Structure formats: structure tokens, C-alpha cells
Amino acid sequence: MVTRRVLPDLVASKKRTQVVNVASLAAYRSAPGLTAYSASKAALLAATDALRVDLAAQGVSTRSVQVMAVAPYFMATPLFKARGSALLPVMRPEFVAERVVSALHRPRLPRTLVMPAHMLPLLLVKPLMPHFVENFVAGSACLGVTRSTREMLQGADGKR
């Protein structure tokens, strides 16, 4: 990881340093056909937490080095052109970047910046949900996760 290579110099500089890792809401709930993508984003969330723990164990102040993960919903990119839904619109990369820059100006970074923010309560109760409820919520028309993923995969290879 690049962060591991440059972090010692950044810590030694005594300047305020901010590490931002861009993951995805897919780290919390995969969608059909996105197993590897979701797993890699979940691993990035775990690596972000591990970095935070390692820095604390080394006595590095959270005032000097701050670590944050960003977990947006799908972003409008050449790979992902689905339409999303009313509750989970596909996000413009510029919007996500603006939110990240805004968070970086706060005195204290959130551990994870979830976008859209109204998804945070759902993520907090997700571990308590029975699987059939979780599957219903993810597949429901109001969230559109399954439909959006299907549209993305169809656009990627034109076959599915």
C-alpha cells in the first residue's frame, strides 16, 4: 500500500496529515455480480481501520495524522451508467469530491464518510437484520441496488 511507504516521512514532518481511502457502500452490502468488487472495498475499510489502530499504537496523535474512509454509493463513471433510484441516486464524482474536501476541512475527520448520508442508519442496523429482510431491502424498488447493478453489468459486456 502506498500509504505505508510515505507515512513515516509524513509522521516525521509533524505536519497535519490526512489519509483518505475511497471504498464504497458495496463494502457493506454486495450486489449480484459484484463479489470481488465488494470484497475489495470491504478489505479497504478494514485496512483503513487497521491503519488507524497501528498509528494509535505507535503513539501518533489523531491531530497529526487523521485517517478516513469514504463509502459512496455507485458513482457515474464510464463503467457505471445505471440510473439508481430516488433514495440511492448514482452520484456524480464531482459531488463526492466536494464532500470529501469539505470533510477534510473539519477539525476532526469522520471515520467513514457515508454517501448519501441517509444510508448511515441503515448500515448501523444491518447487522441486526435477518437475511430475508436485508435481501428485500436491497432488492426493493426504492433502493434499486439489484436493478442498478444488473444495468451496469449489462452495459459492461452487453450480454447479461
Side-chain angles (χ1 to χ4, degrees), residues 18-135:
Q18 296 166 313
V19 177
V20 178
N21 289 325
V22 181
S24 169
L25 280 178
Y28 298 98
R29 172 59 161 97
S30 188
L34 295 181
T35 302
Y37 177 82
S38 296
S40 69
K41 296 304 183 175
L44 185 56
L45 287 180
T48 303
D49 279 342
L51 177 60
R52 193 179 296 110
V53 169
D54 285 351
L55 290 169
Q58 295 170 24
V60 177
S61 165
T62 56
R63 286 200 168 97
S64 63
V65 179
Q66 297 177 324
V67 181
M68 175 178 75
V70 180
Y73 184 60
F74 294 116
M75 290 191 281
T77 65
L79 174 65
F80 191 80
K81 297 179 181 176
R83 63 181 179 266
S85 68
L87 286 178
L88 282 177
V90 173
M91 307 182 102
R92 292 183 357 272
E94 299 83 6
F95 172 78
V96 174
E98 289 167 6
R99 294 287 311 275
V100 170
V101 169
S102 176
L104 292 174
H105 285 90
R106 296 179 197 165
R108 189 160 183 242
L109 291 182
R111 286 178 176 245
T112 305
L113 180 61
V114 173
M115 289 183 264
H118 64 263
M119 288 303 295
L120 187 57
L122 188 59
L123 296 179
L124 294 174
V125 300
K126 179 188 173 282
L128 306 173
M129 286 184 197
H131 289 294
F132 75 91
V133 173
E134 180 184 352
N135 291 338

Side-chain angles (χ1 to χ4, degrees), residues 4-22:
R4 293 276 181 205
R5 301 280 295 180
V6 300
L7 202 56
D9 292 334
L10 294 172
V11 170
S13 75
K14 304 287 187 202
K15 294 180 182 176
R16 183 176 181 216
T17 299
Q18 296 166 313
V19 177
V20 178
N21 289 325
V22 181

